[in-house]
Amino acid sequence: MAATFRRRLQRGAASTAVAALVLAALTASQAPGATGAAAAKRRPAPPPADVPIDGGSAYYTDLPPLKSPVPPHGSPQTGRGPATGRGPAEAGLPATVLAAYKKAATEIDASDPGCRLPWQLLAGIGKVESGQARGGAVDAEGTTLRPILGPQLNGHGFARITDTDAGRYDGDLTHDRAVGPMQFIPSTWSNGGPDGTGWGADGNGDGKKDPHNVFDAALAAGRYLCAGDRDLTAQDDLDRAILGYNHSDEYLRTVLSWYAFYRNGTHEVPDGKGVLPVHRDAGRSGDDNGGRSEGKRHHGRGPGAKPGKSPRPGGSGKPGKPGKGQQHHPGKPGHPDGTRPTPGGTEPPTQKPTPSPEPAHPTTLVRVGDKDLTAIAGTEFATPPQVRARDAQGKAVAGVPVRFTLPPATDARFPGDATTVTVTTDKDGLATAPTLRAGDRTGDFRIRVSTVRHTAPAVEVGATVKARPAPKADKLARTSDKELTATAGKAFAEDAVEIKATYQGELAAGVAVTATMVTNDPQRPVENDKGPYFKDPEATGHDGDKPVRTLTGLTTDANGLLKLPKIYTDAHSGTFLLRLTTADGAVLTVKLRVAAPAGS
């Protein structure tokens, strides 16, 4: 008991010391100009919202080991450089998750350099919120293999948030739940941003904002942490950013401890091989752990509440190994793998195994074929987009996830109406996209092809969608032989004239037809200025009654049929001609007989 109590004090003291050290280091070790005076000139960050970013949901309370990884001598960590050092197992970050944190920090550094967001801060929050997406249980595109769901936010120990997303992200139709690797609540992801459009972001460029994708979630979290012109080298801004994520002093200390630990050095491990945390502050009934406690219960969840006590470390304290009585049981709700069951208590369906990291980093992607792809609108491209991955020696690299992305300028689509697909290179280094179908929009566009981990420069494949050939008709005929008659000053029967277009004996759909009232001159018929006429279907008011004796833009339907608009007559009587023509030379002449009014 004495030994356990002493170890507990050591961990608690280490946590406090690490938190103090990281705050001091942040204000001293960043880029030039990040002084207290410079930070003071920036607008102060807004106070935390009434509802924290994760809804005050449960989080992991494990603390980093006492012995931190130490970078090589003379290679101080700047927060932007590559992960260095090996150290304890907890310093290993899953490859895709690590790539997501670094990509988000780089993008924010370009758009908001004054924030000075280090990727290790995202790693600290990711560790506490989801155990780095359950140790990196994500697919090649960074999407979690199973949904990571927090407890129902029903007001019992957490914030009360009734359903805002119709279950779209959390599968819950009554209340919201924190979702994804960074545990955003749906209302915050969709519409809780500063401009009312939500914090949701597209971090991997696939055209979607998915809180279950670690690239999207990391970028969204980074933007939130930098909101309000925060400078994260300033202690107050750093504290406000983290507390806004989850308003708990214990949460703040835990995140800062992991932040300091990761700043001292990390290394990359394969996806799915990250160390899983053990303790969580979710010892309440009604949470997503089925009421089980994975550590001491913590109170003070939510704004204005008092922080709870530090958790008791589990087991022997050896890094990377669960304590006694906390063995690993994958896939069971409430166990140390971080799995949280779907709403209703059912376990999520079995997913595909965690993909292995890329076996090699290609230095180039080379498109296959030197000709652009072509297709007729509405048809499939005969040749699918294809690239080859090669290493520095020019050898093919197999097993590389490659993403094909269509631009917004085209309505061409991959199967399933997808604008982005990911395939893996085969033994010859070839990545072949699935069948691409052209839409109705014609013109040129470029397909962007890149590796999922951005380990090689992206390449582009050109494509062209050509207009459909105009449908042909070599014959026009009436569908009825009934004589067409009307009285002067009145109209012919509704839809009196119906024609059928054929090409080589087959019905011709989509054929453009021109209808003209012509003079009775067999040598050179011209548009008549008297007798039957149409009305302009698009004209209004008095213009709507003006005679129109030529109609264009008429088209046969899917059965090759065309019913002409209503035909009116003026005061002239006699026999008149209606001439129907197509661009291919098909001609049909129809007689229209107009009788004089009775008694005239």
Side-chain angles (χ1 to χ4, degrees):
M1 181 67 183
T4 301
F5 182 72
R6 181 168 58 254
R7 183 166 58 249
R8 190 172 171 185
L9 284 178
Q10 289 172 342
R11 290 288 289 273
S15 169
T16 303
V18 166
L21 286 173
V22 70
L23 293 176
L26 281 171
T27 57
S29 66
Q30 297 293 330
T35 62
K41 292 180 180 179
R42 295 170 56 80
R43 272 196 296 123
D50 291 338
V51 177
I53 206 81
D54 67 359
S57 191
Y59 62 88
Y60 287 103
T61 59
D62 295 51
L63 295 175
L66 292 175
K67 183 179 179 181
S68 296
V70 180
H73 181 68
S75 302
Q77 293 292 294
T78 64
R80 302 286 183 202
T84 59
R86 299 299 295 183
E90 285 87 345
L93 292 174
T96 299
V97 177
L98 176 60
Y101 295 150
K102 289 185 175 182
K103 187 174 186 295
T106 299
E107 184 169 332
I108 291 174
D109 187 46
S111 61
D112 186 9
C115 175
R116 298 178 174 87
L117 170 70
W119 64 261
Q120 290 92 338
L121 179 58
L122 295 174
I125 291 175
K127 177 71 173 182
V128 173
E129 291 289 349
S130 68
Q132 310 299 14
R134 298 195 191 110
V138 297
D139 64 18
E141 295 186 12
T143 302
T144 56
L145 299 182
R146 300 188 200 177
I148 300 177
L149 302 175
Q152 191 180 67
L153 299 176
N154 53 16
H156 300 301
F158 310 102
R160 176 179 173 80
I161 307 176
T162 56
D163 179 54
T164 63
D165 66 335
R168 175 185 179 186
Y169 297 121
D170 57 12
D172 195 320
L173 297 177
T174 60
H175 294 82
D176 274 352
R177 298 169 180 254
V179 297
M182 304 303 277
Q183 288 289 278
F184 275 83
I185 51 177
S187 55
T188 302
W189 183 266
S190 299
N191 54 28
D195 57 357
T197 59
W199 290 105
D202 178 12
N204 61 356
D206 64 356
K208 297 180 291 186
K209 298 178 181 180
D210 182 3
H212 297 284
N213 181 279
V214 70
F215 286 94
D216 294 359
L219 180 58
R223 288 176 177 172
Y224 169 77
L225 294 169
C226 289
D229 283 343
R230 290 188 182 112
D231 178 353
L232 298 182
T233 64
Q235 178 176 338
D236 287 346
D237 278 3
L238 180 66
D239 285 354
R240 282 172 180 263
I242 298 174
L243 288 171
Y245 214 105
N246 189 308
H247 199 81
S248 160
D249 289 345
E250 183 66 29
Y251 180 88
L252 173 64
R253 288 193 293 269
T254 306
V255 169
L256 287 175
S257 296
W258 283 106
Y259 176 30
F261 178 77
Y262 291 139
R263 283 176 61 84
N264 280 330
T266 60
H267 59 272
E268 181 181 303
V269 298
D271 289 343
K273 300 298 182 181
V275 174
L276 296 171
V278 176
H279 295 84
R280 191 187 295 143
D281 72 332
R284 306 171 182 80
S285 61
D287 61 26
D288 253 3
N289 298 304
R292 301 182 188 182
S293 174
E294 295 186 17
K296 284 187 174 283
R297 175 176 177 173
H298 284 247
H299 303 275
R301 309 289 290 121
K306 296 180 181 180
K309 296 181 181 180
S310 299
R312 175 181 178 179
S316 64
K318 293 181 180 180
K321 296 182 179 181
K324 184 178 181 181
Q326 295 176 337
Q327 286 80 13
H328 189 89
H329 298 281
K332 298 291 183 69
H335 286 86
D337 67 347
T339 300
R340 304 182 186 180
T342 54
T346 60
E347 189 172 346
T350 302
Q351 302 288 338
K352 59 184 179 182
T354 303
S356 300
E358 295 177 11
H361 286 177
T363 57
T364 56
L365 287 178
V366 181
R367 58 172 294 181
V368 177
D370 56 358
K371 293 183 179 180
D372 287 352
L373 312 179
T374 59
I376 302 298
T379 66
E380 295 179 351
F381 284 83
T383 303
Q386 189 178 54
V387 297
R388 189 187 303 274
R390 293 176 177 170
D391 61 17
Q393 287 72 43
K395 296 181 179 179
V397 182
V400 179
V402 175
R403 178 181 293 126
F404 295 81
T405 303
L406 300 174
T410 182
D411 57 356
R413 292 293 183 266
F414 292 113
D417 202 33
T419 58
T420 300
V421 293
T422 299
V423 298
T424 303
T425 56
D426 61 17
K427 61 182 179 62
D428 298 317
L430 290 175
T432 304
T435 302
L436 178 63
R437 186 175 185 83
D440 293 327
R441 194 178 305 172
T442 60
D444 300 332
F445 63 92
R446 312 291 290 179
I447 305 168
R448 188 174 188 274
V449 189
S450 62
T451 56
V452 171
R453 305 258 178 81
H454 309 284
T455 53
V459 298
E460 291 185 340
V461 177
T464 301
V465 178
K466 297 181 179 180
R468 297 181 181 91
K472 295 182 178 181
D474 55 14
K475 184 178 181 181
L476 295 176
R478 284 187 63 194
T479 58
S480 170
D481 57 2
K482 182 178 179 181
E483 185 179 32
L484 300 173
T485 62
T487 302
K490 298 184 180 298
F492 285 84
E494 194 81 24
D495 299 332
V497 180
E498 182 182 58
I499 63 171
K500 175 177 65 175
T502 57
Y503 181 70
Q504 296 181 354
E506 299 292 334
L507 293 174
V511 175
V513 178
T514 299
T516 306
M517 301 295 178
V518 297
T519 59
N520 192 1
D521 183 350
Q523 299 300 323
R524 190 179 178 185
V526 295
E527 184 180 277
N528 208 338
D529 60 356
K530 62 177 66 73
Y533 63 90
F534 302 104
K535 290 183 179 181
D536 188 347
E538 298 181 358
T540 58
H542 294 297
D543 292 338
D545 293 327
K546 290 182 178 180
V548 175
R549 290 188 166 88
T550 298
L551 283 184
T552 59
L554 303 173
T555 307
T556 58
D557 63 16
N559 297 315
L561 301 177
L562 170 63
K563 289 184 179 181
L564 267 61
K566 191 173 183 179
I567 301 174
Y568 300 86
T569 68
D570 57 16
H572 297 83
S573 59
T575 300
F576 300 88
L577 300 181
L578 168 62
R579 185 182 175 89
L580 303 164
T581 60
T582 70
D584 300 302
V587 179
L588 172 66
T589 301
V590 179
K591 290 184 179 181
L592 302 175
R593 301 187 185 277
V594 180
S600 63

